[in-house]
Amino acid sequence: MSNGGTPLAQARALYRVDSELAAPPELADPDTLLNAFHPDHLRSSVVKLAVGANAGENCQRELAQQLQAEAFIDEADLAGAPVTDTDVLIIGGGGAGCAAALAAAGRGARVLLVTKLRLGDSNTVMAEGGIQAAIEPDDSIQRHIQDTLRGGHHAGDPELVSAMAQDGPEVIRWLIEEGMQFEQTASGDLHTRKAGGMSAARIMHCRDYTGLEMMRVLREAVIQHRGIEVWEHSPAVELLSNERGQKCVGAVFTSLLDGRFRIVRTHSVILATGGLGRLHLNNFPTSNHLGATGDGLVLAYRIGAQLRDLDSFQYHPTGLVHPPYLSGKLVTEGVRAAGALMLNAAGQRFVDELLPRDIVCAAILRECAEGRGIRVDDGRVGVWLDTPRLERSQPGMLERQFPKLLARTQMSGIDPRSEPLLIHPTLHYQNGGVVIDVNGATTVPGLFAVGELAGGIHGRNRIMGNALLDIISFGRRAGVAAISEHDRGPKKVTLEHVNQARRALTLAGMPLTQRAPQILPDYAAKGIWNR
Amino acid sequence: MTSTPAAATGDSQPAVNLTINGIAVAARPAMTLVEAAWHGGVPRVTGVSCLESVCGSCRVLLRRGKEVTVDLACQTFVEEGIEAVFLPPQATPKHHYEISEFTDSWNNLARFHEIFPEASHCRHCHGCVRSCPKGIDVESAINLAAAGHFRDAGEMFLECVMCDLCDSACPEQIAPAHVGLFCRRVSAHFRLRPPNLIQRLEEQRKERLLGQASPDSHE
Amino acid sequence: MEPLTSILLHPERRVGADMARWAAAGGGQALARAAQDPAGVRVAIREADLRGMGGSGFTVWRKWEAVAAELPKPDKYLIVNGNEDEPGTFKDRMLLEETPHQVIEGALVAALAVGANRVVFYVNPDLKQSLAAVDAAIAQWHASERLAQASKALGRTLELSLRPASGHYIGGEETAAISWVEGGFPFPRGKPPYPAQAGVHGCPTLINNVETLAHVPHIVVHGAEWFRSLGKAPGTGTKLYSLSGDVLHPGVYELPMGTTLRELIFEHGGGLLSGKPLKAVFTGGPSCSLLTPVNLDVGLDFDSLRACGGSLGTGAMIVVSEGTGIVKRVAEYMRFFAHSSCGQCNSCKVGTATMSRLLDRIDTGRGTAADLDTLENLCALLPGSGRCHLISGTVQLLDSSFRHFHNEYRQALR
């Protein structure tokens, strides 16, 4: 993915923590930069969908293959499968799923939460930077809305953005009531930081363990709640529809442990399955957890839900290149927010580090492509994140505010206080997703979608700290809305929508060779399906 | 840098031979046990998620010579001759509480001992401390918790990833990780009252009251 | 059917804490001889090939010589191990309750032989009658001249004391017993140092099982040759077998060491209940194992059983008949061991807790092929780790159940 670059050892020898730095060159035309270097804009990476609710629209190539694939199961596979009934079915055990479950169960609903891996295994748990909410005196809900829309290149849905920003302060309060801790100032205020694309300090955090802190609290709250039943290691393989294939009335799960199918019937299904980094779009490394394979998009699309912005993904600027086992793993944007700069192999700044993520990402890819990057043995290239300079200007700050970063890199003998980190953009976030309203309802009756899976909030680029807010805000909204579905439940649960999708695929001349959802990346699925 | 395990990446390096779930694996140096398991085609490795040692899923028992320890596979590098077995998923915790049912914080210590009666039975075997892949001094934290020092105890669990290895290592079934989380939760629930947040919430409440008076109010 | 041999449990010796009746049956002679020739006692024990009856089968004289060779620092201890807590073992309680003086005499003979001045009776706290009998018997020794005479022979005051044990299974392990006697939690320690060098408060310490010590007076009085002739070679002397489970007459049987399983079950135990075929026998003790009908003619002594991959343990024989679920039984044992693990070693505590959970899952129809794989992998990984023998013994039981009854585990998978 590169042209040349300076070998790592040589670049390391050239690096000086005290070198004089000039300001980065003025960015004259962001669009030209994005068009030339951002992966979303690579012509080869986008195709037009042939079938489904978004037929004729642009979609990232590898995702399109998933969306237009054959189903995982046939009706015959369901013979003898045990059936469970519940008021609300939640698919996904990350932050959004847990928030939805707590909201629904808190209002008396019987909730079944089913998750592919372990409860809490999610991208939420890895979020380091923090969560946005406009709480500072010099900030306002309106500014939060504006920053979010501007960051998303005005492609976001203002109604959704407004709902989320309005929820911000209440979300923080709810999290505190559930027992989540946040950093405080000496006077007891919540500590806030400003990050890329923000007009005021608005990020709250718990050291650089914000996602972990949030996830373990929500996970414990879910486990402890009497109204919530949890099935772990149970990936969803298909949704269930009514006889006309037009309403979602349940789902089919298999088990990673014994491969058996189980059917759940319900009034409302909330999909909270997260993102798709593990599809490794455009061959990028990813910061995502192992289960992020876009299953929810596939299931929602097959049952007829409208999706959006399927050609827009966030490549986080600072994924680690070295050490190799952490390839693609994030260095939180908080480090740049705290003042860390980025340098190319020549030791020069090349972009304002706090511009929106897509622009910073494109700028890094430009440095790498034009030979100003730093190359490791296996040919991968990156640029420096100048953590020693940050440490030098604010001694002890890395240890105080970013203990996770230190612990992780030091395990492999790298100390970011004394040597810069080699970074490269990494596939981080799905900007688009399932079209929803302010309650998380999709275009398919009975089906909700929340969290990273849903689209429209972050437009075509998400700013830091809005993901954790999004999952709680819309998770809770969907949890409440889902219990107001008041029909008497499904008379019949079918795979009619699968038949309809097959018909459409066949008529469009699409091959039915590939099956989806993916569930696990191939490299991690050995022996799981054949027992 | 050359001293780090990550420095060696080339295929020319001699393989590191180890056993994972009973299967012989020839791994490359600097691989983690998770990478080695994939590389060696070890089947049915299902307890893997974040790959950066924050989710606590990939728990392994490791044997080096006669010494057997526990750790997380994604933060353990391959070594010649070691044996590893991935442990099954954690059991559901048996202690029950809902934080919303806590009303009077003067009773927190009493409630704590009702919920976690075993926490005062610590026999100081250090099993929890040895088991912690994050190096938390679990035993001291539990003793702090049992004495009502919830904030200090909770702070010690900052890096806890809920792998529950300490739970399975505790002969008194104290469930230390859940005690730690309890401490953190009650500390936040009862003590965190940030003025800047409260001020904004108050402004929003007043706006809503105004909005309710006007016909085009939303929410 | 009456036991063929009756030494320890001879009716004349089952007199409880009655010193006069004990003396009338020959009690006290061994102590008198030991007072004359303590070194000679060690020779006799060596020639008799007396073994540790608490489960280890370790040769007793080696421990004795090691302790005898040490200087007091300033004391030397003898712990009489009556922790008896293994599944299916109920012999020591009988000796303590019905023949306390026999045990005390054996202990005092040993004390003289190795030069120990503090003798601690370490008894399972749940065995109330045993505790009462030992307590009463010790009081009688204090009131009699015998103890003073023994002290004179030793050259310093012999102290007899009773210390109820902790109630933890692991407290039966010798270094754990030492910790408890010192006043701490009964944690096993790593060896070395061995108790013979540094035991209770750093003093040289001999620790022997109740049954082991009960044999001592008889060896001293009747000689090593006599003792050896009681056993069926390679076994020597007699052994108390605790027979339980699906047999007609469960109970404690004193039989020649090396009696076959067939004789024990069918001649003495009256055969299996309802005439069902024998399925397996669990031998109790810290290294449990499984015997099957093919082992019926193996002599129940330490060496013969070890040769066929089993272990005598404490001599507990828990008989199960056809129709008994092996998975359920092993799951029950594993729960016991998981509960008993002291916590110091992750290998043991995490290992037993994990194995117990997996076995429970399999037993209750929730187990998967992956669970069974994990159990087998743990059986390969765990043995020999940990500072005491618990994890190895536990794995030995599970492993032997896999070897003999793998199909039952397979069938239980969902």
Side-chain angles (χ1 to χ4, degrees):
Chain A
M1 70 176 82
S2 70
N3 301 321
T6 309
L8 179 63
Q10 194 182 329
R12 194 175 278 133
L14 283 173
Y15 169 80
R16 292 283 175 273
V17 68
D18 53 356
S19 62
E20 289 287 321
L21 292 183
E26 197 70 26
L27 183 61
D29 181 5
D31 287 341
T32 309
L33 178 68
L34 287 172
N35 281 329
F37 293 100
H38 196 280
D40 284 351
H41 300 265
L42 300 178
R43 207 166 288 277
S44 63
S45 86
V46 175
V47 296
K48 294 238 184 287
L49 288 169
V51 300
N54 294 73
E57 294 179 22
N58 282 345
C59 179
Q60 199 281 340
R61 183 171 37 85
E62 285 134 314
L63 175 57
Q65 285 169 8
Q66 294 280 317
L67 296 180
Q68 304 181 122
E70 165 68 317
F72 209 86
I73 52 164
D74 280 310
E75 202 167 53
D77 294 320
L78 301 182
V83 177
T84 303
D85 289 309
T86 187
D87 294 342
V88 178
L89 170 65
I90 295 168
I91 304 177
C98 287
L102 289 167
R107 285 161 180 77
R110 275 180 312 155
V111 175
L112 174 61
L113 189 157
V114 188
T115 181
K116 175 159 65 182
L117 300 172
R118 180 183 163 224
L119 185 63
D121 286 359
S122 59
N123 287 341
T124 304
V125 78
M126 291 187 283
E128 300 176 357
I131 177 168
Q132 282 201 51
I135 63 161
E136 294 291 14
D138 65 346
D139 195 9
S140 69
I141 302 295
Q142 200 52 41
R143 291 176 76 167
H144 188 174
I145 295 169
Q146 282 163 2
D147 288 347
T148 303
L149 287 171
R150 191 186 320 111
H153 303 297
H154 298 286
D157 178 339
E159 200 185 355
L160 296 181
V161 175
S162 170
M164 177 181 80
Q166 290 283 355
D167 282 352
E170 177 56 31
V171 161
I172 303 298
R173 176 190 163 139
W174 180 76
L175 288 168
I176 290 172
E177 280 175 358
E178 288 295 335
M180 179 172 170
Q181 298 196 0
F182 290 94
E183 232 56 47
Q184 286 172 280
T185 65
S187 64
D189 278 344
L190 289 179
H191 182 255
T192 54
R193 287 199 289 235
K194 190 171 163 180
M198 271 170 233
S199 59
R202 195 183 297 136
I203 300 256
M204 280 148 282
H205 61 107
C206 173
R207 248 67 64 90
D208 59 346
Y209 288 108
T210 313
L212 171 63
E213 170 72 358
M214 177 188 284
M215 195 65 247
R216 63 189 169 199
V217 165
L218 295 181
R219 179 174 171 271
E220 191 79 352
V222 164
I223 291 171
Q224 297 286 357
H225 204 295
R226 292 179 186 86
I228 306 172
E229 183 182 348
V230 177
W231 294 356
E232 296 184 315
H233 301 101
S234 304
V237 293
E238 195 51 72
L239 295 173
L240 291 165
S241 55
N242 66 3
E243 286 155 298
R244 286 171 296 133
Q246 287 167 347
K247 180 178 190 302
C248 182
V249 293
V252 180
F253 299 92
T254 184
S255 160
L256 291 180
L257 305 179
D258 67 6
R260 290 209 187 168
F261 292 113
R262 285 199 279 189
I263 291 171
V264 176
R265 298 186 300 197
T266 180
H267 307 286
S268 304
V269 175
I270 300 178
L271 281 173
T273 53
L276 50 52
R278 289 283 157 184
L279 295 180
H280 296 286
L281 305 182
N282 301 317
N283 263 330
F284 265 69
T286 184
S287 60
N288 288 187
H289 80 113
L290 196 64
T293 50
D295 302 359
L297 284 178
V298 171
L299 299 183
Y301 198 61
R302 195 176 286 140
I303 204 168
Q306 183 93 28
L307 313 183
R308 57 175 291 171
D309 301 315
L310 297 172
D311 52 350
S312 173
F313 297 88
Q314 184 164 82
Y315 294 80
H316 192 290
T318 52
L320 284 166
V321 175
H322 190 75
Y325 78 98
L326 287 175
S327 173
K329 289 302 180 179
L330 279 200
V331 180
T332 169
E333 183 170 331
V335 178
R336 274 177 294 140
L341 306 177
M342 298 191 309
L343 310 177
N344 60 22
Q348 300 156 332
R349 290 178 72 189
F350 51 87
V351 70
D352 174 354
E353 289 79 2
L354 293 181
L355 288 173
R357 286 178 174 178
D358 52 351
I359 295 171
V360 175
C361 165
I364 297 171
L365 292 172
R366 180 187 60 196
E367 295 302 297
C368 294
E370 294 178 352
R372 294 187 295 277
I374 297 134
R375 194 179 70 234
V376 295
D377 289 347
D378 58 13
R380 290 172 308 127
V381 181
V383 297
W384 290 134
L385 181 66
D386 195 353
T387 45
R389 190 180 301 266
L390 177 66
E391 177 71 11
R392 191 159 173 265
S393 66
Q394 300 174 62
M397 108 96 68
L398 284 175
E399 188 170 7
R400 270 196 316 278
Q401 294 212 28
F402 305 102
K404 178 181 166 190
L405 175 67
L406 277 200
R408 223 165 54 185
T409 49
Q410 283 178 331
M411 229 168 56
S412 52
I414 296 172
D415 187 343
R417 288 172 299 194
S418 55
E419 60 182 301
L421 295 170
L422 192 56
I423 51 110
H424 179 277
T426 180
L427 179 53
H428 183 52
Y429 192 81
Q430 161 193 315
N431 293 322
V434 183
V435 171
I436 57 167
D437 69 9
V438 290
N439 291 318
T442 70
T443 55
V444 173
L447 183 66
F448 296 79
V450 291
E452 187 169 347
L453 169 68
I457 302 150
H458 310 292
R460 296 182 68 81
N461 178 57
R462 178 176 62 78
I463 58 176
M464 175 182 171
N466 267 349
L468 289 186
L469 177 58
D470 161 4
I471 61 176
I472 305 300
S473 166
F474 288 99
R476 296 179 70 212
R477 283 166 173 267
V480 174
I483 58 177
S484 57
E485 289 274 334
H486 275 317
D487 65 14
R488 262 175 292 149
K491 289 193 193 73
K492 198 172 173 193
V493 295
T494 76
L495 291 174
E496 178 55 27
H497 66 287
V498 175
N499 295 336
Q500 291 172 4
R502 279 193 184 123
R503 205 168 293 136
L505 284 169
T506 308
L507 290 174
M510 305 289 290
L512 289 173
T513 46
Q514 185 175 352
R515 286 176 185 265
Q518 171 88 38
I519 299 179
L520 283 172
D522 287 337
Y523 52 78
K526 163 98 174 172
I528 286 171
W529 306 119
N530 44 14
R531 59 188 56 204
Chain B
M1 194 61 204
T2 47
S3 64
T4 71
T9 51
D11 279 359
S12 55
Q13 299 272 349
V16 177
N17 297 293
L18 68 159
T19 309
I20 301 177
N21 288 2
I23 293 182
V25 173
R28 285 203 296 270
M31 279 183 163
T32 64
L33 290 180
V34 172
E35 292 174 301
W38 291 343
H39 176 78
V42 178
R44 297 175 188 164
V45 176
T46 49
V48 174
S49 174
C50 78
L51 301 169
E52 56 179 69
S53 64
V54 290
C55 78
S57 282
C58 58
R59 315 173 316 148
V60 281
L61 262 173
L62 291 171
R63 181 173 187 128
R64 298 175 178 89
K66 283 190 80 170
E67 186 204 7
V68 172
T69 55
V70 292
D71 212 323
L72 298 177
C74 72
Q75 67 170 28
T76 306
F77 296 101
V78 295
E79 290 168 45
E80 186 68 27
I82 62 171
E83 295 171 67
V85 171
F86 277 80
L87 289 171
Q90 292 84 335
T92 315
K94 62 184 168 61
H95 301 90
H96 182 82
Y97 68 96
E98 283 182 32
I99 201 137
S100 57
E101 292 169 357
F102 284 56
T103 46
D104 181 356
S105 57
W106 287 94
N107 292 335
N108 281 357
L109 185 60
R111 288 300 311 275
F112 172 79
H113 286 295
E114 280 167 29
I115 298 161
F116 297 101
E118 302 89 353
S120 50
H121 300 169
C122 175
R123 57 170 80 158
H124 305 280
C125 67
H126 308 310
C128 53
V129 182
R130 289 190 188 98
S131 74
C132 182
K134 293 291 163 185
I136 297 169
D137 184 358
V138 183
E139 190 177 297
S140 304
I142 294 303
N143 292 313
L144 279 175
H149 293 281
F150 296 134
R151 193 183 55 173
D152 291 349
E155 187 55 32
M156 293 176 75
F157 279 96
L158 170 71
E159 303 201 348
C160 172
V161 295
M162 302 303 286
C163 67
D164 286 5
L165 279 169
C166 55
D167 292 18
S168 53
C170 178
E172 296 288 355
Q173 301 186 297
I174 292 172
H178 296 277
V179 168
L181 195 45
F182 173 93
C183 294
R184 293 187 65 82
R185 293 182 74 194
V186 293
S187 299
H189 184 81
F190 285 106
R191 298 175 64 127
L192 198 50
R193 294 291 180 272
N196 52 353
L197 173 64
I198 292 169
Q199 172 72 18
R200 180 54 43 87
L201 284 166
E202 191 57 15
E203 286 167 19
Q204 284 187 303
R205 189 181 68 84
K206 285 178 185 154
E207 276 168 31
R208 267 198 304 276
L209 286 176
L210 284 173
Q212 274 169 8
S214 69
D216 59 337
S217 66
H218 61 283
E219 288 217 310
Chain C
M1 185 171 170
E2 272 303 299
L4 296 177
T5 314
S6 195
I7 309 297
L8 305 183
L9 294 181
H10 192 284
E12 284 182 16
R13 296 200 175 86
R14 295 164 76 165
V15 295
D18 186 333
M19 198 167 225
R21 285 179 68 193
W22 163 73
Q29 293 173 22
L31 187 58
R33 287 202 198 178
Q36 300 299 319
D37 181 12
V41 172
R42 300 205 300 272
V43 173
I45 295 301
R46 175 178 186 162
E47 288 173 351
D49 193 22
L50 178 64
R51 303 295 192 90
M53 302 294 186
S56 70
F58 196 75
T59 44
V60 170
W61 69 270
R62 286 185 194 276
K63 273 191 189 176
W64 285 27
E65 290 295 342
V67 178
E70 296 287 325
L71 292 173
K73 295 174 199 164
D75 296 315
K76 270 195 205 181
Y77 280 83
L78 165 62
I79 297 175
V80 182
N81 190 350
N83 194 66
E84 188 166 75
D85 204 12
E86 290 85 3
T89 307
F90 40 84
K91 61 182 180 71
D92 292 340
R93 67 197 66 184
M94 199 167 190
L95 291 171
L96 291 172
E97 191 181 324
E98 302 191 18
T99 74
H101 290 297
Q102 173 175 258
V103 178
I104 292 172
E105 184 184 14
L108 289 172
V109 170
L112 292 184
V114 303
N117 62 314
R118 290 178 185 264
V119 180
V120 181
F121 289 83
Y122 174 79
V123 178
N124 187 321
D126 298 328
L127 303 178
K128 300 296 178 207
Q129 284 155 312
S130 300
L131 286 165
V134 173
D135 197 38
I138 288 177
Q140 290 165 27
W141 279 82
H142 280 134
S144 83
E145 276 300 298
R146 295 174 192 273
L147 188 59
Q149 283 161 9
S151 295
K152 201 170 156 199
L154 182 67
R156 61 190 294 192
T157 306
L158 261 165
E159 289 179 20
L160 294 185
S161 62
L162 173 62
R163 178 91 162 95
S166 58
H168 289 276
Y169 168 70
I170 198 67
E173 199 278 337
E174 55 184 22
T175 58
I178 287 167
S179 294
W180 179 255
V181 169
E182 287 175 346
F185 188 90
F187 285 127
R189 303 169 180 171
K191 298 180 217 174
Y194 291 93
Q197 283 93 47
V200 180
H201 301 304
C203 302
T205 300
L206 174 65
I207 175 160
N208 279 140
N209 169 255
V210 165
E211 183 189 353
T212 311
L213 291 169
H215 279 294
V216 167
H218 307 291
I219 295 172
V220 171
V221 172
H222 299 292
E225 201 46 48
W226 165 85
F227 184 76
R228 296 179 74 94
S229 72
L230 293 175
K232 295 188 176 176
T236 66
T238 62
K239 175 81 190 93
L240 301 187
Y241 296 102
S242 306
L243 181 64
S244 63
D246 305 339
V247 288
L248 195 56
H249 304 300
V252 175
Y253 290 88
E254 183 179 13
L255 297 172
M257 176 73 93
T259 299
T260 64
L261 189 57
R262 187 187 301 281
E263 289 171 88
L264 176 64
I265 295 174
F266 293 97
E267 291 179 24
H268 306 287
L272 275 81
L273 280 181
S274 319
K276 282 188 181 173
L278 173 69
K279 182 169 188 177
V281 174
F282 291 88
T283 67
S287 45
C288 284
S289 65
L290 258 182
L291 303 176
T292 59
V294 301
N295 303 121
L296 268 173
D297 294 309
V298 175
L300 297 176
D301 60 81
F302 292 108
D303 302 329
S304 306
L305 278 171
R306 192 163 297 154
C308 72
S311 101
L312 179 60
T314 58
M317 299 291 147
I318 305 166
V319 177
V320 302
S321 56
E322 236 10 287
T324 306
I326 293 293
V327 179
K328 184 171 292 300
R329 285 301 178 92
V330 174
E332 284 166 4
Y333 275 101
M334 195 59 77
R335 217 173 296 139
F336 173 81
F337 289 126
H339 177 73
S340 303
S341 175
C342 80
Q344 290 187 110
C345 307
N346 287 166
S347 66
C348 177
K349 183 68 219 178
V350 178
T352 52
T354 304
M355 291 190 290
S356 177
R357 246 183 80 221
L358 293 175
L359 283 168
D360 280 346
R361 280 212 317 235
I362 293 174
D363 180 44
T364 52
R366 294 169 295 137
T368 65
D371 292 340
L372 189 52
D373 284 353
T374 304
L375 279 171
E376 293 181 80
N377 289 329
L378 290 174
C379 280
L381 183 133
L382 290 169
S385 60
R387 64 185 73 188
C388 78
H389 193 64
L390 184 67
I391 186 64
S392 300
T394 304
V395 169
Q396 186 175 329
L397 172 69
L398 179 60
D399 207 29
S400 63
S401 77
F402 281 155
R403 250 182 291 128
H404 298 301
F405 300 102
H406 203 268
N407 58 331
E408 288 195 30
Y409 288 92
R410 285 250 158 250
Q411 282 163 12
L413 299 182
R414 69 178 181 184

